[in-house]
Structures are given as C-alpha cells and as structure tokens.
Amino acid sequence: MPPAAPTGRSMPTARLRIGGFHTGDPTSDESSPAVDVRVVFFALIGGRLVVALRNGDDQLCLPRGWPVSDESLDAAARRIAHDEIGLSDRYLEQLYTFSVEDEIDWTVVITYVGLVGSDASAGSRPGIEWVPAEPGVLCSEIDGRVIDYARTRLRAKLGYTTIALYLLPPAFTFRDLQSTYETVLDQPLDKRNFRRRLLATGMLERTEEVSRQGSHRPAALYRFRPTDDQERYLTPAWDEESS
Amino acid sequence: MPPAAPTGRSMPTARLRIGGFHTGDPTSDESSPAVDVRVVFFALIGGRLVVALRNGDDQLCLPRGWPVSDESLDAAARRIAHDEIGLSDRYLEQLYTFSVEDEIDWTVVITYVGLVGSDASAGSRPGIEWVPAEPGVLCSEIDGRVIDYARTRLRAKLGYTTIALYLLPPAFTFRDLQSTYETVLDQPLDKRNFRRRLLATGMLERTEEVSRQGSHRPAALYRFRPTDDQERYLTPAWDEESS
DNA sequence: CCAAAAGTGTTGCTCGTACACCCATGA
DNA sequence: TCATGGGTGTACGAGCAACACTTTTGG
C-alpha cells in the first residue's frame, strides 16, 4: 500500500464546511472536507509532452474547480476542461483521489487526466500556460506528484490502448504517430516493427491524402478507425450522471 | 471518456447548489458534498470469491465510514478494515471515486478494494456477512456495481501482479494457488503451465513442509518470497498520510 | 543528381499453450 | 493393491525484436 509521503503545502483557501452526515447515522455535525477536482491536461507541443498550468495563489497549479450539486465528478472535470482549456470533446479519465490538509483546510482532491490535441493549446484560455511535463515542474509539490503519476499512467496505458489518438490531429503520418509514442514513452522505437504492430491492431485507416513537406518522398496520411471503444479498459463502465 | 452510462436509477435529485467557484473566489458558504469511503473486501471461502457486506438501512451494503480530520483516505479505509473486519495488515487499494445524490444527501464516495486471507472471515465482526461476489449481489444497486467493478479489476490485476498472495494463507500448496486463480478468473488453468509460469516469476519459495491430507501423495507447501514490492503497479507511490 | 525521409521482409528467439504419464501416499 | 491427487517434459505456433536497403520527392 502506498507508503506515507509528504503532506504537501497546498493552497490556503478559507473554506469551512459543517456537517458530513450519513445515511442512517445521526451524528451529522462534524466537519467534513471540501471537495475539489483537478485535471492534468496533456498535449504535445513541438515534440514535447506538456501540461496545462494556471496561476494559483503564489505559484502555478493544476486547473481545478469544485463539483456543484447535480453534477457528477466526471461532469465537473469536463466543465473544468471547457472553462480552462476551451476544450470540447476529448479524452478524460479519473486518476486518483487523496486528501490534503493544512492548518486551515481539509480537502479531498479528485484528480483526472485529460488529453488534448496538439492544436488545442491555441484555444486555451489566457492564464493557462503549457509547460513541459518533466519531473520537477514548477508548481506545488502535490500537483507535481499528481503530474508525475499521470504521466506514468499515460505511459503505461499507451501500451495497450488507443489513447494516442487523442494527442494527434485527425490525420497524421506514421512518423507523427511514432513520435507521439516515442515522446510519451521516452524511448526510441523501431520504424518497421512499429508500423507492423500498429497496422496489425486494425485501428488505422489509410486516407487518400499525403503530407508533402520537405524535399523528400511524401508520407501517407492515416486516421484512426471509428472503432474507438477499447480505451475504456480499467475504467468503470458506469458513472452516474446525476442531473 | 466514460460515456454517459446507465444513469443509475438511484437518486432523483432535489438539492441545489449554486455556483462552482474557483481559487480566489471567496464565496465560501455553499453546500458541499459529504465524503464517504467504502471498501469491497474479498475473501475466498469454500472455493468461492466472497465479499463482506453489512446491514444498511434496508438492505445489505458495503462496509463504510467517513474520513476524519487528520486522517488520509487510505488511513480511513484501513480503519474501516479494522473496525468492520477485524483485519490487521492486508492489501488495500483505491478503486474509484464518484458522487451520489438523492433528495437528501450529496455524497462523494471513494471506494477501495481489500483482500483478506481466507481465514480472516472467522475474525470478522458480527453484523458482517460474506456473500458470493457474483453479479446481482443483494445490496444497493450502486454498491453492486462497485463490487462488479472491483471484481473486474481484481481479475485483471491477478494477471500481472502477486496480489493472489493476500487471498491465501502464509503457506499453501500449488493446488491452493491454482484454485485461487481459477476462482478469481473463473476459468480452468493447465496444471503444468501454471506451475511453470508461477515458478518462473521467482515469487515462490518451497518450504520444507508438506500438506498431508487424504490418501494420496502429500503436497509441498510454498510461500511467497518477501519480494513483495511489485503489487503496486498503477498505484501512486505517494499518498499523503496526514496526521 | 543529391539530400532526406518514406516505405518494405526475413530471421531468431521467447513465451504461451496443448497434451499424458509416473509417483507417493493412506486406506 | 487401489484410488487419489501430486508432480513432471516436450513440441508446436504466435508474436516480438533486431536489422539494411530501395523508393520517391524537392531543390
């Protein structure tokens, strides 16, 4: 089980809450934590994996917000995606939940990972900064660890799912695809084996178009087959939309 | 993204909340959800995979509790393990977090999976019932889905980790081990291949003792090597112990 | 015609799977 | 000696990793 780790100096917000109550249990007036949702948005910019950070109290921090009533946690995460990144319809997955406490606040933090097409950085709201997703990102320690963990999971998941899709534009060359994998996995891959393996999955579809750039042979453009229902492995098929 | 899924016929909603607000926003006195932690405890009893349920309002439900201040979520889950199952030092892993809402309550539920040695059912508190972990368990619909999902994850994880360890007594025969896998995976396995594969992992250590029972050749007893630090795959290496 | 990236096959090895018989014991 | 489960080896196929040259284009 996850061994103890530092408690994290997170945000002094002033927020009190009274009454965590419970079905059947009448002890209804103890303090109970605030809840907030944070999202690690990844994108590929200039061949680097980057995350979206915004200004926090005294340093950069992950985009965040609170769920409102009548809103599932997933919906809250989607809303944050929309409000902060201007992001429409992308990949979003729950990561982990933990609690943070300091002298003032007690907060339960539900974290998500979101993937954004490389273009979307353009559409992101002002106040959002895209910084390289390497260990030691300038942000709170807690958020830094969340980012590291998110990256680890992204890497692991790239192996057995099609989520790379969400980091790429609708049409892409094999080189684009391979670079994406190489960037996220942080290791070089063999061109022929990569091509063979990806083609073997049947996820790819070659389009008529080609990408001409530079004085060399043009590259065929591919897209993902609309068979995109396998990236949900290890995520519950239920999540109640309250509303 | 987990597309909207069965909305769960739970909860018609009343409960209003205004304004999801953000860092820097001082609107601090709106309602915020209660938080509770539920644990799906699995054990093997009589060759069946069973879960621990306790009496809820009108039906069985998962063992649960709320985190108190100065207590991490993991610690809360451990406390529940101790209070409800009388469980000391076993495997516990976070599963998923979601929110539930009805006319009265708005709750964020953090779920865990716990694994219990087959013996431990004896030590469980009165009021706990161990029921077969099959789809359609008699409990609330929400809890039922949590159990199903927990089982799915357990099954998946058995493939690439050593968690089977926690469902077995300290010493066990190869048959015990194989039955455990077969029960959880719900499929028969080849004896020789199973043995070879498990030995190849190097996790097992043959003890001097044997298990004599029945009129046939006694079986060698094995135990897991104290190399038990790999079952944390896909779980963050950090989790703040507040306290 | 040159530079630069696109595209293409084969081979060896590893790992998983299928499969059947002898062994040790208690009754 | 018999019934019962414990314990063992081999052969095939699938899939992955390593590896180098030809093709097409723009300049």
Side-chain angles (χ1 to χ4, degrees), chain A residues 159 193 196-198 200-201:
Chain A
N193 293 336
R196 187 182 19 254
R197 187 148 44 85
L198 269 286
T201 64

Short mmCIF file of all heavy atoms in Angstrom, two decimals, chain A residues 159 193 196-198 200-201, chain C residues 10-17, chain D residues 12-18:
data_model
loop_
_atom_site.label_atom_id
_atom_site.label_comp_id
_atom_site.label_asym_id
_atom_site.label_seq_id
_atom_site.Cartn_x
_atom_site.Cartn_y
_atom_site.Cartn_z
N GLY A 159 0.53 1.59 -24.00
CA GLY A 159 0.90 0.27 -24.45
C GLY A 159 -0.27 -0.56 -24.91
O GLY A 159 -0.17 -1.29 -25.87
N ASN A 193 8.99 -2.29 -37.06
CA ASN A 193 8.19 -3.02 -36.09
C ASN A 193 7.00 -2.20 -35.63
O ASN A 193 5.89 -2.72 -35.49
CB ASN A 193 9.06 -3.40 -34.88
CG ASN A 193 10.12 -4.41 -35.24
OD1 ASN A 193 9.97 -5.15 -36.22
ND2 ASN A 193 11.20 -4.43 -34.49
N ARG A 196 4.39 -2.21 -38.38
CA ARG A 196 3.72 -3.51 -38.46
C ARG A 196 2.75 -3.71 -37.31
O ARG A 196 1.59 -4.08 -37.49
CB ARG A 196 4.76 -4.63 -38.47
CG ARG A 196 4.15 -5.98 -38.72
CD ARG A 196 5.13 -7.14 -38.69
NE ARG A 196 6.36 -6.81 -38.02
CZ ARG A 196 7.51 -6.59 -38.65
NH1 ARG A 196 7.56 -6.68 -39.96
NH2 ARG A 196 8.59 -6.30 -37.97
N ARG A 197 3.25 -3.39 -36.13
CA ARG A 197 2.42 -3.63 -34.96
C ARG A 197 1.15 -2.78 -34.96
O ARG A 197 0.05 -3.25 -34.73
CB ARG A 197 3.22 -3.33 -33.69
CG ARG A 197 2.53 -3.70 -32.43
CD ARG A 197 3.52 -4.15 -31.36
NE ARG A 197 4.69 -3.27 -31.30
CZ ARG A 197 4.74 -2.14 -30.60
NH1 ARG A 197 3.69 -1.76 -29.92
NH2 ARG A 197 5.83 -1.42 -30.58
N LEU A 198 1.32 -1.51 -35.28
CA LEU A 198 0.13 -0.63 -35.28
C LEU A 198 -0.85 -1.02 -36.37
O LEU A 198 -2.06 -1.00 -36.17
CB LEU A 198 0.56 0.82 -35.44
CG LEU A 198 0.81 1.60 -34.16
CD1 LEU A 198 -0.50 1.94 -33.46
CD2 LEU A 198 1.68 0.80 -33.20
N ALA A 200 -1.27 -3.95 -37.44
CA ALA A 200 -1.87 -5.21 -37.01
C ALA A 200 -3.08 -4.99 -36.11
O ALA A 200 -3.99 -5.81 -36.08
CB ALA A 200 -0.83 -6.06 -36.30
N THR A 201 -3.08 -3.90 -35.39
CA THR A 201 -4.22 -3.66 -34.49
C THR A 201 -5.50 -3.38 -35.27
O THR A 201 -6.59 -3.50 -34.73
CB THR A 201 -3.98 -2.43 -33.59
OG1 THR A 201 -3.90 -1.26 -34.42
CG2 THR A 201 -2.71 -2.58 -32.80
P DT C 10 10.15 -11.92 -47.25
OP1 DT C 10 10.53 -12.81 -48.37
OP2 DT C 10 8.82 -12.07 -46.63
"O5'" DT C 10 11.27 -12.05 -46.13
"C5'" DT C 10 12.61 -11.65 -46.44
"C4'" DT C 10 13.53 -12.15 -45.36
"O4'" DT C 10 13.48 -11.26 -44.21
"C3'" DT C 10 13.17 -13.54 -44.84
"O3'" DT C 10 14.38 -14.28 -44.68
"C2'" DT C 10 12.49 -13.26 -43.49
"C1'" DT C 10 13.25 -12.02 -43.03
N1 DT C 10 12.52 -11.16 -42.06
C2 DT C 10 13.20 -10.69 -40.96
O2 DT C 10 14.38 -10.93 -40.73
N3 DT C 10 12.45 -9.90 -40.12
C4 DT C 10 11.11 -9.56 -40.27
O4 DT C 10 10.56 -8.85 -39.45
C5 DT C 10 10.47 -10.10 -41.44
C7 DT C 10 9.03 -9.81 -41.71
C6 DT C 10 11.19 -10.87 -42.28
P DT C 11 14.36 -15.73 -44.08
OP1 DT C 11 15.26 -16.57 -44.89
OP2 DT C 11 12.96 -16.12 -43.85
"O5'" DT C 11 15.05 -15.52 -42.66
"C5'" DT C 11 16.25 -14.75 -42.55
"C4'" DT C 11 16.61 -14.74 -41.07
"O4'" DT C 11 15.75 -13.79 -40.37
"C3'" DT C 11 16.39 -16.10 -40.41
"O3'" DT C 11 17.53 -16.41 -39.62
"C2'" DT C 11 15.13 -15.90 -39.57
"C1'" DT C 11 15.24 -14.41 -39.21
N1 DT C 11 13.95 -13.76 -38.85
C2 DT C 11 13.94 -12.82 -37.83
O2 DT C 11 14.94 -12.51 -37.23
N3 DT C 11 12.72 -12.26 -37.58
C4 DT C 11 11.53 -12.54 -38.21
O4 DT C 11 10.49 -11.98 -37.89
C5 DT C 11 11.60 -13.54 -39.26
C7 DT C 11 10.35 -13.93 -40.01
C6 DT C 11 12.79 -14.09 -39.53
P DG C 12 17.59 -17.75 -38.80
OP1 DG C 12 18.93 -18.31 -39.07
OP2 DG C 12 16.37 -18.54 -39.09
"O5'" DG C 12 17.54 -17.28 -37.28
"C5'" DG C 12 18.48 -16.34 -36.77
"C4'" DG C 12 18.09 -15.97 -35.35
"O4'" DG C 12 16.81 -15.30 -35.37
"C3'" DG C 12 17.94 -17.17 -34.42
"O3'" DG C 12 18.58 -16.87 -33.18
"C2'" DG C 12 16.43 -17.35 -34.29
"C1'" DG C 12 15.91 -15.93 -34.47
N9 DG C 12 14.57 -15.82 -35.04
C8 DG C 12 14.06 -16.54 -36.09
N7 DG C 12 12.82 -16.22 -36.38
C5 DG C 12 12.50 -15.22 -35.45
C6 DG C 12 11.31 -14.49 -35.28
O6 DG C 12 10.25 -14.56 -35.92
N1 DG C 12 11.41 -13.58 -34.22
C2 DG C 12 12.53 -13.41 -33.46
N2 DG C 12 12.44 -12.50 -32.50
N3 DG C 12 13.65 -14.08 -33.61
C4 DG C 12 13.56 -14.97 -34.63
P DC C 13 18.61 -17.91 -32.02
OP1 DC C 13 19.97 -17.88 -31.43
OP2 DC C 13 18.04 -19.20 -32.51
"O5'" DC C 13 17.60 -17.27 -30.98
"C5'" DC C 13 17.64 -15.87 -30.71
"C4'" DC C 13 16.44 -15.52 -29.87
"O4'" DC C 13 15.25 -15.48 -30.70
"C3'" DC C 13 16.17 -16.54 -28.76
"O3'" DC C 13 16.03 -15.82 -27.54
"C2'" DC C 13 14.87 -17.23 -29.21
"C1'" DC C 13 14.21 -16.15 -30.05
N1 DC C 13 13.26 -16.61 -31.11
C2 DC C 13 11.97 -16.05 -31.17
O2 DC C 13 11.65 -15.19 -30.35
N3 DC C 13 11.12 -16.45 -32.15
C4 DC C 13 11.50 -17.37 -33.04
N4 DC C 13 10.62 -17.72 -34.00
C5 DC C 13 12.81 -17.96 -32.99
C6 DC C 13 13.64 -17.56 -32.02
P DT C 14 15.96 -16.62 -26.16
OP1 DT C 14 17.11 -16.29 -25.31
OP2 DT C 14 15.64 -18.04 -26.45
"O5'" DT C 14 14.67 -15.92 -25.55
"C5'" DT C 14 14.09 -14.79 -26.18
"C4'" DT C 14 12.66 -14.62 -25.70
"O4'" DT C 14 11.73 -15.04 -26.74
"C3'" DT C 14 12.31 -15.45 -24.47
"O3'" DT C 14 11.46 -14.66 -23.66
"C2'" DT C 14 11.62 -16.68 -25.05
"C1'" DT C 14 10.91 -16.09 -26.26
N1 DT C 14 10.69 -17.01 -27.41
C2 DT C 14 9.54 -16.87 -28.16
O2 DT C 14 8.68 -16.05 -27.93
N3 DT C 14 9.44 -17.75 -29.21
C4 DT C 14 10.35 -18.73 -29.57
O4 DT C 14 10.14 -19.45 -30.54
C5 DT C 14 11.53 -18.82 -28.74
C7 DT C 14 12.57 -19.85 -29.05
C6 DT C 14 11.65 -17.97 -27.71
P DC C 15 11.04 -15.18 -22.21
OP1 DC C 15 11.16 -14.08 -21.24
OP2 DC C 15 11.70 -16.48 -21.96
"O5'" DC C 15 9.48 -15.43 -22.47
"C5'" DC C 15 8.75 -14.48 -23.27
"C4'" DC C 15 7.41 -15.09 -23.58
"O4'" DC C 15 7.52 -16.01 -24.70
"C3'" DC C 15 6.82 -15.89 -22.42
"O3'" DC C 15 5.45 -15.55 -22.33
"C2'" DC C 15 7.04 -17.34 -22.84
"C1'" DC C 15 6.89 -17.23 -24.36
N1 DC C 15 7.54 -18.32 -25.16
C2 DC C 15 6.95 -18.72 -26.37
O2 DC C 15 5.93 -18.16 -26.75
N3 DC C 15 7.55 -19.70 -27.08
C4 DC C 15 8.66 -20.27 -26.64
N4 DC C 15 9.22 -21.24 -27.40
C5 DC C 15 9.28 -19.88 -25.39
C6 DC C 15 8.68 -18.91 -24.69
P DG C 16 4.61 -16.10 -21.11
OP1 DG C 16 4.06 -14.91 -20.44
OP2 DG C 16 5.39 -17.11 -20.36
"O5'" DG C 16 3.40 -16.86 -21.83
"C5'" DG C 16 2.62 -16.16 -22.79
"C4'" DG C 16 1.83 -17.17 -23.59
"O4'" DG C 16 2.76 -18.00 -24.33
"C3'" DG C 16 0.99 -18.13 -22.72
"O3'" DG C 16 -0.33 -18.19 -23.26
"C2'" DG C 16 1.72 -19.47 -22.82
"C1'" DG C 16 2.44 -19.37 -24.16
N9 DG C 16 3.70 -20.11 -24.21
C8 DG C 16 4.75 -20.05 -23.33
N7 DG C 16 5.74 -20.83 -23.66
C5 DG C 16 5.32 -21.44 -24.83
C6 DG C 16 5.98 -22.40 -25.65
O6 DG C 16 7.09 -22.90 -25.50
N1 DG C 16 5.19 -22.76 -26.75
C2 DG C 16 3.94 -22.26 -27.02
N2 DG C 16 3.33 -22.71 -28.12
N3 DG C 16 3.32 -21.37 -26.26
C4 DG C 16 4.07 -21.01 -25.19
P DT C 17 -1.43 -19.02 -22.48
OP1 DT C 17 -2.63 -18.16 -22.55
OP2 DT C 17 -0.87 -19.45 -21.19
"O5'" DT C 17 -1.69 -20.32 -23.38
"C5'" DT C 17 -1.62 -20.22 -24.80
"C4'" DT C 17 -1.61 -21.62 -25.39
"O4'" DT C 17 -0.25 -22.12 -25.43
"C3'" DT C 17 -2.42 -22.64 -24.59
"O3'" DT C 17 -3.21 -23.38 -25.49
"C2'" DT C 17 -1.35 -23.50 -23.92
"C1'" DT C 17 -0.23 -23.45 -24.95
N1 DT C 17 1.14 -23.71 -24.44
C2 DT C 17 1.98 -24.52 -25.20
O2 DT C 17 1.64 -25.01 -26.25
N3 DT C 17 3.22 -24.72 -24.67
C4 DT C 17 3.70 -24.21 -23.47
O4 DT C 17 4.85 -24.46 -23.09
C5 DT C 17 2.79 -23.38 -22.73
C7 DT C 17 3.21 -22.77 -21.42
C6 DT C 17 1.56 -23.17 -23.24
P DC D 12 6.83 -30.76 -33.33
OP1 DC D 12 6.50 -31.84 -34.29
OP2 DC D 12 8.21 -30.22 -33.25
"O5'" DC D 12 5.84 -29.55 -33.61
"C5'" DC D 12 4.42 -29.72 -33.46
"C4'" DC D 12 3.83 -28.38 -33.09
"O4'" DC D 12 4.43 -27.94 -31.85
"C3'" DC D 12 4.11 -27.27 -34.10
"O3'" DC D 12 2.91 -26.98 -34.81
"C2'" DC D 12 4.64 -26.11 -33.27
"C1'" DC D 12 4.39 -26.53 -31.83
N1 DC D 12 5.41 -26.05 -30.85
C2 DC D 12 5.02 -25.12 -29.87
O2 DC D 12 3.85 -24.72 -29.84
N3 DC D 12 5.93 -24.69 -28.96
C4 DC D 12 7.19 -25.14 -29.02
N4 DC D 12 8.06 -24.69 -28.10
C5 DC D 12 7.62 -26.08 -30.01
C6 DC D 12 6.70 -26.49 -30.89
P DG D 13 2.95 -25.95 -36.00
OP1 DG D 13 1.93 -26.33 -37.00
OP2 DG D 13 4.37 -25.82 -36.39
"O5'" DG D 13 2.50 -24.59 -35.31
"C5'" DG D 13 1.37 -24.58 -34.41
"C4'" DG D 13 1.22 -23.19 -33.84
"O4'" DG D 13 2.21 -22.99 -32.80
"C3'" DG D 13 1.42 -22.07 -34.86
"O3'" DG D 13 0.43 -21.07 -34.63
"C2'" DG D 13 2.85 -21.58 -34.58
"C1'" DG D 13 2.98 -21.82 -33.08
N9 DG D 13 4.33 -22.08 -32.61
C8 DG D 13 5.29 -22.86 -33.20
N7 DG D 13 6.41 -22.91 -32.53
C5 DG D 13 6.18 -22.09 -31.43
C6 DG D 13 7.03 -21.75 -30.35
O6 DG D 13 8.18 -22.12 -30.14
N1 DG D 13 6.39 -20.89 -29.44
C2 DG D 13 5.12 -20.44 -29.57
N2 DG D 13 4.68 -19.63 -28.61
N3 DG D 13 4.31 -20.75 -30.58
C4 DG D 13 4.91 -21.58 -31.47
P DA D 14 0.34 -19.85 -35.56
OP1 DA D 14 -1.01 -19.84 -36.14
OP2 DA D 14 1.54 -19.83 -36.43
"O5'" DA D 14 0.46 -18.67 -34.51
"C5'" DA D 14 0.00 -18.86 -33.15
"C4'" DA D 14 0.27 -17.60 -32.35
"O4'" DA D 14 1.58 -17.72 -31.74
"C3'" DA D 14 0.30 -16.33 -33.19
"O3'" DA D 14 -0.28 -15.28 -32.43
"C2'" DA D 14 1.79 -16.11 -33.48
"C1'" DA D 14 2.46 -16.74 -32.26
N9 DA D 14 3.72 -17.43 -32.54
C8 DA D 14 4.01 -18.21 -33.62
N7 DA D 14 5.22 -18.72 -33.61
C5 DA D 14 5.76 -18.23 -32.42
C6 DA D 14 7.02 -18.39 -31.82
N6 DA D 14 7.99 -19.14 -32.34
N1 DA D 14 7.24 -17.78 -30.65
C2 DA D 14 6.25 -17.04 -30.11
N3 DA D 14 5.02 -16.80 -30.59
C4 DA D 14 4.84 -17.44 -31.76
P DG D 15 -0.30 -13.81 -33.00
OP1 DG D 15 -1.55 -13.16 -32.57
OP2 DG D 15 0.06 -13.89 -34.45
"O5'" DG D 15 0.91 -13.11 -32.22
"C5'" DG D 15 1.13 -13.41 -30.83
"C4'" DG D 15 2.39 -12.71 -30.38
"O4'" DG D 15 3.54 -13.49 -30.74
"C3'" DG D 15 2.56 -11.34 -31.04
"O3'" DG D 15 3.09 -10.44 -30.08
"C2'" DG D 15 3.56 -11.63 -32.17
"C1'" DG D 15 4.43 -12.70 -31.52
N9 DG D 15 5.09 -13.58 -32.47
C8 DG D 15 4.63 -14.04 -33.67
N7 DG D 15 5.47 -14.83 -34.29
C5 DG D 15 6.56 -14.89 -33.43
C6 DG D 15 7.78 -15.59 -33.56
O6 DG D 15 8.15 -16.32 -34.49
N1 DG D 15 8.62 -15.38 -32.46
C2 DG D 15 8.31 -14.59 -31.39
N2 DG D 15 9.22 -14.50 -30.42
N3 DG D 15 7.16 -13.93 -31.25
C4 DG D 15 6.34 -14.13 -32.31
P DC D 16 3.28 -8.91 -30.48
OP1 DC D 16 2.42 -8.12 -29.58
OP2 DC D 16 3.17 -8.80 -31.96
"O5'" DC D 16 4.81 -8.62 -30.08
"C5'" DC D 16 5.33 -9.10 -28.84
"C4'" DC D 16 6.84 -9.09 -28.92
"O4'" DC D 16 7.26 -10.12 -29.84
"C3'" DC D 16 7.42 -7.77 -29.43
"O3'" DC D 16 8.42 -7.34 -28.54
"C2'" DC D 16 7.94 -8.12 -30.83
"C1'" DC D 16 8.25 -9.61 -30.70
N1 DC D 16 8.18 -10.37 -31.98
C2 DC D 16 9.24 -11.20 -32.36
O2 DC D 16 10.23 -11.28 -31.61
N3 DC D 16 9.17 -11.90 -33.51
C4 DC D 16 8.09 -11.79 -34.29
N4 DC D 16 8.07 -12.50 -35.42
C5 DC D 16 6.99 -10.95 -33.93
C6 DC D 16 7.07 -10.26 -32.78
P DA D 17 9.24 -5.97 -28.83
OP1 DA D 17 9.46 -5.33 -27.53
OP2 DA D 17 8.56 -5.26 -29.95
"O5'" DA D 17 10.66 -6.47 -29.37
"C5'" DA D 17 11.51 -7.21 -28.51
"C4'" DA D 17 12.81 -7.46 -29.24
"O4'" DA D 17 12.55 -8.31 -30.38
"C3'" DA D 17 13.47 -6.20 -29.79
"O3'" DA D 17 14.86 -6.27 -29.58
"C2'" DA D 17 13.09 -6.20 -31.26
"C1'" DA D 17 12.97 -7.68 -31.57
N9 DA D 17 11.97 -7.98 -32.59
C8 DA D 17 10.71 -7.44 -32.70
N7 DA D 17 10.03 -7.91 -33.72
C5 DA D 17 10.90 -8.80 -34.33
C6 DA D 17 10.79 -9.62 -35.46
N6 DA D 17 9.69 -9.66 -36.21
N1 DA D 17 11.84 -10.39 -35.78
C2 DA D 17 12.93 -10.34 -35.01
N3 DA D 17 13.16 -9.61 -33.93
C4 DA D 17 12.09 -8.86 -33.64
P DA D 18 15.72 -4.95 -29.81
OP1 DA D 18 16.49 -4.75 -28.57
OP2 DA D 18 14.81 -3.88 -30.32
"O5'" DA D 18 16.72 -5.35 -30.98
"C5'" DA D 18 17.38 -6.61 -30.94
"C4'" DA D 18 17.84 -6.97 -32.34
"O4'" DA D 18 16.70 -7.39 -33.12
"C3'" DA D 18 18.47 -5.79 -33.09
"O3'" DA D 18 19.80 -6.13 -33.46
"C2'" DA D 18 17.56 -5.58 -34.32
"C1'" DA D 18 16.84 -6.92 -34.44
N9 DA D 18 15.50 -6.83 -35.03
C8 DA D 18 14.50 -5.98 -34.64
N7 DA D 18 13.40 -6.11 -35.34
C5 DA D 18 13.70 -7.11 -36.26
C6 DA D 18 12.96 -7.71 -37.28
N6 DA D 18 11.69 -7.38 -37.57
N1 DA D 18 13.56 -8.68 -38.01
C2 DA D 18 14.82 -9.02 -37.71
N3 DA D 18 15.63 -8.52 -36.78
C4 DA D 18 15.00 -7.57 -36.08
#
